Amino acid sequence: MTAINATMIDHREEDKIWIDETDPTAHQETVYLNAVQGLAASILTGGATPLEECLREDEVEW
């Protein structure tokens, strides 16, 4: 995952966000992931899990 450049702009008592055009869907994905209760926290927890504690791809049941 790559970071996006975003600038917060305060104008006339309204918050605006200026998002880098190189990844226009990144903000939509972030909003979606945070809208599903517990999903963002689960992703962060999973990302912090050591590889030796993870299942191999062939052990995952789909």
Side-chain angles (χ1 to χ4, degrees):
M1 180 183 294
T2 59
I4 63 167
N5 295 323
T7 303
M8 187 70 150
I9 301 169
D10 185 10
H11 180 68
R12 296 187 200 161
E13 301 177 14
E14 297 176 19
D15 290 334
K16 309 279 190 234
I17 299 176
W18 181 6
I19 298 175
D20 188 348
E21 66 182 11
T22 59
D23 193 357
T25 59
H27 69 285
Q28 292 173 329
E29 182 177 357
T30 300
V31 169
Y32 172 76
L33 293 175
N34 283 284
V36 178
Q37 186 175 3
L39 183 56
S42 175
I43 292 169
L44 291 173
T45 300
T49 303
L51 287 177
E52 43 290 339
E53 293 181 22
C54 297
L55 294 175
R56 292 189 325 264
E57 183 179 4
D58 62 348
E59 295 177 314
V60 177
E61 294 183 25
W62 296 95

